[in-house]
Amino acid sequence: MNKTEERVVSTMRTSAPAGAAPAEEPAKKKSKKKLLILVVLVLAAAGAAWFFLLRGGDGKAEAKKPELGTVLPVDPININLEGGHYLKLSFSLQLAKGVKEDPDPSRALAIAIDQFSGESMTVLSQPAARRKAVKELTEAVEKAYGEDVIDLYPTTLVMQ
C-alpha cells in the first residue's frame, strides 16, 4: 500500500514574484493620490480666480449706486378711485448726480394714474397694501426713466 501524501496549495501570495519589487504598488497609489489632490486644488484655485477676478464677484455687492443729485418735486394730482373716492398724490423724483436736464414728470404722472385709477380705497387704507403700491410705482418710474431717476419719494397720499 502506498502512502498518499497530502499537499495544501494556497492561492494567496505571501511573497513577491521573482524580479518585482514589492514596494512599487503602494508607491504608485500614493503618487496617484498626490496627483489627484494637486489637480483638485488647481481646479479650485482656477474657479476662485474666475469667480473673483473675471466675473467680478457677486455683482450685487460690486454694483455701485449712483450718487444722489437733485430732487425734482412733481405737482400733486387727483386720481379717481373706486366708488366715487379720489386720491390726492404728490411725489418727488430723486435724480442721479450729473443729470443735465430735469426729466419731464408727465411720464411718472401717467404711470401713477394707470396704477392707482379704480383702486379700492379700503385696500389702499391698509399700510402693507399702500407700501406695496408705492414700491411698484417707484419701480415702474425708475424703469421708465432709466438711470436718470434713482428713487421716488411720496410726499402726499390723501384719500377721500
Side-chain angles (χ1 to χ4, degrees):
M1 296 195 135
N2 288 342
K3 282 187 173 178
T4 59
E5 239 178 73
E6 251 184 62
R7 200 179 196 171
V8 176
V9 179
S10 172
T11 57
M12 274 182 58
R13 287 189 183 175
T14 55
S15 64
E24 282 184 33
E25 278 186 40
K28 282 185 180 180
K29 286 183 182 180
K30 285 183 182 179
S31 67
K32 284 183 181 180
K33 282 183 183 179
K34 287 180 182 179
L35 180 64
L36 181 63
I37 290 171
L38 182 64
V39 168
V40 168
L41 288 175
V42 167
L43 289 175
W50 173 83
F51 185 78
F52 289 109
L53 299 177
L54 299 177
R55 186 172 160 255
D58 187 16
K60 291 180 183 175
E62 296 289 327
K64 291 183 180 179
K65 288 190 174 184
E67 291 185 44
L68 302 178
T70 61
V71 175
L72 176 66
V74 178
D75 292 332
I77 186 170
N78 292 325
I79 302 171
N80 291 325
L81 297 177
E82 179 183 75
H85 299 284
Y86 72 92
L87 166 70
K88 181 176 183 179
L89 174 69
S90 65
F91 53 87
S92 296
L93 300 175
Q94 175 67 63
L95 304 179
K97 187 175 183 178
V99 174
K100 295 177 180 158
E101 188 176 320
D102 288 347
D104 182 12
S106 301
R107 191 179 320 159
L109 290 170
I111 293 169
I113 292 168
D114 286 345
Q115 180 178 336
F116 289 105
S117 287
E119 192 67 46
S120 168
M121 187 170 132
T122 56
V123 170
L124 289 175
S125 295
Q126 299 171 359
R130 189 172 48 251
R131 281 191 296 272
K132 181 181 176 193
V134 169
K135 181 181 177 188
E136 289 172 357
L137 174 64
T138 302
E139 290 171 353
V141 168
E142 287 175 355
K143 183 178 178 183
Y145 285 96
E147 295 178 2
D148 290 348
V149 175
I150 55 177
D151 209 349
L152 179 140
Y153 308 122
T155 54
T156 303
L157 203 143
V158 178
M159 292 175 282
Q160 188 173 356

